[in-house]
Amino acid sequence: MAEGESVKLFVGQVPKQMTESQLLSMFQEFASVDEVNIIKDKATRASRGCCFVICPSKEEAEKAINECHNKKTLPGASSPLQVKYADGELERLEHKLFVGMLPKNVTDDEVSTLFSEYGTIKDLQLLRGYQQTSKGCAFLKFETKEQALAAIEALNGKHKMEGSTVPLVVKWADTEKERQTRRAQKAMSLASNVPNADSRQHLFGALPMSYVPSYNGYGYQTPGTYPLMHYRLPTINQGNAIRGATPDLSSGVPPRNYAVSPTGYVGSAYPAMPGVQYPVTYPGGIVSNRPLGGSSGPLSPSTANGQSAASSSVGGASSGGQTEGPPGANLFIYHIPQDYGDDELANAFQRFGRVLSAKVFVDKATGASKCFGFVSYDSPAAAQNAINVMNGFQLGGKKLKVQLKRDNKQTKPY
């Protein structure tokens, strides 16, 4: 690590009556400390019983952790201090870069030779997919921040490797917190643009290269992560009115207008309401078997009726709104890594065939993953290939359990 690179620590169990100058003096007994910032309530400006401590180097930060964490109890506190690296700080200190737009036939040696011109490479990982084919991107770690910055400045958007027609993308790699934030933002974007967003490629394709935020002295400032809750659809058959199509008046029931857009139901950030059911396929209604990239315009009655017929004859959507494949093409997956969302699950299984949908189930109250979900293919052969390879496959420290989803339709009385 370069001399003078500041490190941020988070400290808990701080008595609320203590001042920043008192805390600074206390920590300076154990390590070199440049600054202490008490975390305060935004409304009252009172201390929240925790603070950030800025050390001039990782070595000094380690001293503070070793001497104070779970060892020193301050006057007025009921528990010893909790001292650890701030969120994302250890990942930042790795000086880890993301490199994109690499030629598919590039080798580790070629990447290492190019980047070694700017400093000492501590680690290089060329990402490979099925049958060890290159994905055209890599992660690498430099010994110092200055070396990583030099590589970004010299290569990002400026250097083309032999065999490539586009320049390299060289940026700071995401921290785990940023990955979670990006997934939540993407989910919110999809939820608000379901009728007219060209979202299939965005959901299951490669991530955009511009997602990595810039580095700022102590870490990456990212907005908070807010999990999405599915707003359940009311048990009505007035979807045509919402879509803009003429409702079917043959039953003699007058039409009712609902002043709510489709995006107010699908993917809303509000909890479910009692007395209403999960989304189902309504004839021309809010949830239909139209592709996500379809037109957002109103449906004509003929189009709505056509979609109604299609949805009644094809198992297009399950009771949870998930697109299903033919019998034998739908998988149930256990032990999905906690940090995996729908996108990551789809990417992990897309090499075996065309993925129609991928769904990771989450807790409705917290938004946390339940670590199981479904993947649906367009053919039973693709599903069987996935079982052969992925059942027992270790992913994110867990061994997946992959099996065919049971078809319960025959057991239902309707």
Side-chain angles (χ1 to χ4, degrees):
M1 174 180 294
E3 188 69 25
E5 184 174 359
S6 297
V7 179
K8 181 193 281 188
L9 299 178
F10 173 82
V11 182
Q13 297 299 326
V14 175
K16 294 185 177 181
Q17 70 274 14
M18 288 196 73
T19 65
E20 291 178 347
S21 59
Q22 290 174 326
L23 289 167
L24 180 63
S25 299
M26 186 276 296
F27 275 105
Q28 285 178 338
E29 297 176 12
F30 308 101
S32 295
V33 175
D34 293 335
E35 188 179 351
V36 172
N37 297 310
I38 290 177
I39 301 174
K40 299 178 180 180
D41 184 274
K42 290 182 179 180
T44 66
R45 305 305 299 166
S47 170
R48 297 179 64 181
C50 50
C51 68
F52 288 119
V53 172
I54 311 301
C55 296
S57 67
K58 187 176 180 181
E59 289 73 19
E60 295 300 322
E62 289 286 348
K63 289 181 184 178
I65 293 173
N66 293 336
E67 294 294 330
C68 299
H69 179 65
N70 269 336
K71 294 181 180 178
K72 184 172 181 62
T73 303
L74 297 178
S78 58
S79 302
L81 289 173
Q82 300 297 300
V83 187
K84 63 177 184 177
Y85 288 99
D87 283 350
E89 196 71 353
L90 276 177
E91 293 173 283
R92 180 184 69 82
L93 294 173
E94 292 180 329
H95 314 304
K96 186 177 182 179
L97 298 183
F98 170 83
V99 182
M101 300 302 177
L102 291 168
K104 294 293 185 180
N105 59 348
V106 73
T107 66
D108 292 57
D109 289 342
E110 289 173 326
V111 177
S112 180
T113 299
L114 174 62
F115 281 87
S116 293
E117 297 179 18
Y118 306 97
T120 303
I121 297 176
K122 295 167 57 179
D123 182 59
L124 171 62
Q125 181 186 7
L126 191 62
L127 301 188
R128 300 184 184 279
Y130 187 52
Q131 295 180 341
Q132 292 300 300
T133 55
S134 171
K135 290 187 175 181
C137 54
F139 289 103
L140 61 86
K141 299 176 185 177
F142 276 105
E143 191 171 60
T144 69
K145 180 182 73 174
E146 288 72 20
Q147 294 170 357
L149 287 170
I152 293 174
E153 177 63 27
L155 301 176
N156 182 44
K158 300 175 183 178
H159 181 82
K160 295 181 183 178
M161 295 194 71
E162 185 177 352
S164 178
T165 59
V166 291
L168 293 176
V169 172
V170 184
K171 296 188 177 185
W172 295 108
D174 265 1
T175 64
E176 176 58 31
K177 183 176 181 180
E178 289 160 349
R179 287 190 288 272
Q180 293 175 356
T181 299
R182 193 177 67 255
R183 284 196 293 269
Q185 290 172 338
K186 187 189 301 183
M188 293 175 71
S189 174
L190 289 173
S192 63
N193 293 284
V194 166
N196 56 9
D198 186 13
S199 52
R200 281 194 174 180
Q201 180 177 355
H202 185 56
L203 182 63
F204 296 130
L207 292 175
M209 291 298 180
S210 60
Y211 71 80
V212 184
S214 58
Y215 176 90
N216 71 14
Y218 295 133
Y220 303 88
Q221 299 301 319
T222 57
T225 302
Y226 302 96
L228 286 177
M229 303 299 297
H230 288 287
Y231 191 105
R232 300 176 180 178
L233 296 178
T235 55
I236 58 172
N237 193 13
Q238 299 292 333
N240 291 338
I242 298 174
R243 284 290 190 181
T246 305
D248 182 7
L249 302 181
S250 59
S251 63
V253 179
R256 291 181 289 173
N257 292 322
Y258 294 88
V260 183
S261 67
T263 54
Y265 290 96
V266 182
S268 173
Y270 295 96
M273 296 181 64
V276 293
Q277 67 181 23
Y278 284 102
V280 296
T281 303
Y282 285 90
I286 298 172
V287 179
S288 71
N289 61 344
R290 290 199 301 170
L292 293 179
S295 169
S296 60
L299 296 181
S300 66
S302 60
T303 304
N305 293 336
Q307 289 193 350
S308 173
S311 63
S312 64
S313 60
V314 179
S318 68
S319 60
Q322 181 204 2
T323 302
E324 289 190 354
N330 306 293
L331 301 180
F332 191 81
I333 298 103
Y334 299 86
H335 308 315
I336 298 171
Q338 184 73 41
D339 61 342
Y340 266 48
D342 296 352
D343 295 8
E344 288 75 15
L345 183 63
N347 287 332
F349 280 81
Q350 66 182 357
R351 65 186 193 231
F352 305 105
R354 180 169 172 263
V355 174
L356 299 180
S357 64
K359 176 68 177 174
V360 176
F361 284 78
V362 298
D363 185 276
K364 293 177 181 178
T366 67
S369 169
K370 291 186 176 181
C371 298
F372 67 87
F374 294 107
V375 170
S376 293
Y377 290 101
D378 62 354
S379 70
Q384 194 57 54
N385 288 338
I387 292 174
N388 294 341
V389 175
M390 299 300 285
N391 188 37
F393 184 82
Q394 188 157 331
L395 190 65
K398 292 186 176 183
K399 285 190 176 181
L400 297 179
K401 182 178 179 182
V402 184
Q403 64 186 43
L404 287 176
K405 177 184 174 183
R406 285 191 307 175
D407 188 358
N408 294 326
K409 294 178 181 178
Q410 295 179 352
T411 64
K412 294 181 180 180
Y414 48 86

